Amino acid sequence: MSDLDTSRVRRAFERCVSTYDAAAVLHAEVRTDLLARLDLTALTPRVVLDAGAGTGGASRALAQRYPKAVVVAVDTSHAMLRAAGRRQSWLRRFSRVRADAACLPFGDSSVDLVLSNLMLQWCNAERVFAEFRRVLAPHGLLTFTTLGPDTLRELRSAWSTADSHRHVNPFADMHDIGDALVRGGFAAPVLDVERYTLTYPDVRRVAADLKATGSGNANPGRPRGLTGRRRFEAMRSAYEAYREADRLPATYEVVFGHAWVPASRPAAAGGSVSLDDMRRELRSRRGV
């Protein structure tokens, strides 16, 4: 469900740590809405994964919400996890593990809740869902957000008038995501879409915010080298058609989803992992 250049994605997130929190207005608002949906579930998890934790905003909130649980921030970016460690509260601490969400270093059925905020659009969701399904215990919950195809529609349309290259990453449709969850072995998936609109004084600020949050163009067929002035001006002029009340909109289609692991599952080769085993494993991985 994604053919993005993952090494480029990883480098972008490594570089944007110092600018991420100030620019990630959308990420923070969506995270708040995603966490609020947990109020609708009666869940007392022992182990919680924040997959794609970034600087740890959701990890901190999860540690506060579930004080008796082991909360683990997982991210591929070493720099993001270091920042998450600096920002955690001494009262509500969480562990940090550097790992690819499609290859988690945790045992089968060892996790009760996986939360992932705006990470899946950077991954092959099929593989990530399969890995989430593997580590989640029976009755475990996956709750997540990702970006839908209407995201940055203004920017995509404006660039299409300037050249034939892909300047905006592709995003999966909600129905395709739901199908992937079912193929991954999840039960009772529920998905819905919310739209968020950020506004900017000019298109350069749109581009600056995308760069500051690591959300650059990671298409394999993206144009190489610097964008010429003529093409940029053609894009900028086309984007101006969307201006309202002296501001330019940037639309984000956000897919919210949750799904459960069935009550019974086939025995896996790796077996389950006890809570004490998980704590010992996390202690051995500290020092991120």
Side-chain angles (χ1 to χ4, degrees), residues 189-238:
V190 176
L191 297 100
D192 64 279
V193 166
E194 299 284 349
R195 283 177 172 79
Y196 299 75
T197 302
L198 305 183
T199 62
Y200 297 87
D202 55 62
V203 74
R204 292 185 184 276
R205 289 294 299 275
V206 177
D209 260 15
L210 291 173
K211 182 178 181 181
T213 57
S215 305
N217 184 1
N219 287 290
R222 65 188 177 277
R224 307 293 172 166
L226 297 175
T227 301
R229 180 178 297 180
R230 183 175 298 178
R231 283 188 298 155
F232 184 85
E233 283 302 311
M235 181 277 291
R236 185 196 64 77
S237 178

Side-chain angles (χ1 to χ4, degrees), residues 127-145:
R127 291 200 292 266
V128 172
F129 285 154
E131 189 68 346
F132 287 165
R133 173 68 171 81
R134 180 185 68 79
V135 302
L136 277 165
H139 300 291
L141 173 65
L142 166 63
T143 184
F144 65 89
T145 60

Side-chain angles (χ1 to χ4, degrees), residues 93 105 240:
R93 300 189 69 80
E240 285 294 321

Side-chain angles (χ1 to χ4, degrees), residues 91-282:
L91 188 60
R92 295 285 183 260
R93 300 189 69 80
F94 52 86
S95 298
R96 293 165 290 142
V97 172
R98 184 183 182 189
D100 187 328
C103 187
L104 294 169
F106 307 117
D108 300 343
S109 304
S110 61
V111 175
D112 303 300
L113 169 63
V114 174
L115 180 142
S116 180
N117 183 45
L118 295 179
M119 178 202 73
L120 285 166
Q121 67 270 13
W122 303 111
C123 308
N124 183 301
E126 296 269 3
R127 291 200 292 266
V128 172
F129 285 154
E131 189 68 346
F132 287 165
R133 173 68 171 81
R134 180 185 68 79
V135 302
L136 277 165
H139 300 291
L141 173 65
L142 166 63
T143 184
F144 65 89
T145 60
T146 188
L147 296 179
D150 211 30
T151 295
L152 295 174
R153 61 182 180 83
E154 302 91 353
L155 184 61
R156 181 182 289 106
S157 176
W159 269 120
S160 72
T161 68
D163 62 31
S164 59
H165 293 293
R166 261 189 179 179
H167 291 268
V168 178
N169 299 327
F171 303 109
D173 180 83
M174 177 179 71
H175 302 290
D176 293 331
I177 295 167
D179 291 344
L181 284 167
V182 172
R183 287 193 298 271
F186 284 94
V190 176
L191 297 100
D192 64 279
V193 166
E194 299 284 349
R195 283 177 172 79
Y196 299 75
T197 302
L198 305 183
T199 62
Y200 297 87
D202 55 62
V203 74
R204 292 185 184 276
R205 289 294 299 275
V206 177
D209 260 15
L210 291 173
K211 182 178 181 181
T213 57
S215 305
N217 184 1
N219 287 290
R222 65 188 177 277
R224 307 293 172 166
L226 297 175
T227 301
R229 180 178 297 180
R230 183 175 298 178
R231 283 188 298 155
F232 184 85
E233 283 302 311
M235 181 277 291
R236 185 196 64 77
S237 178
Y239 208 133
E240 285 294 321
Y242 295 98
R243 186 177 290 276
E244 293 183 6
D246 204 32
R247 304 284 289 183
L248 292 178
T251 298
Y252 289 86
E253 180 185 351
V254 179
V255 178
F256 286 78
H258 75 255
W260 298 88
V261 172
S264 61
R265 58 190 299 171
S272 62
V273 175
S274 73
L275 187 57
D276 288 340
D277 288 341
M278 173 70 82
R279 287 195 173 106
R280 282 194 292 271
E281 175 68 14
L282 292 171

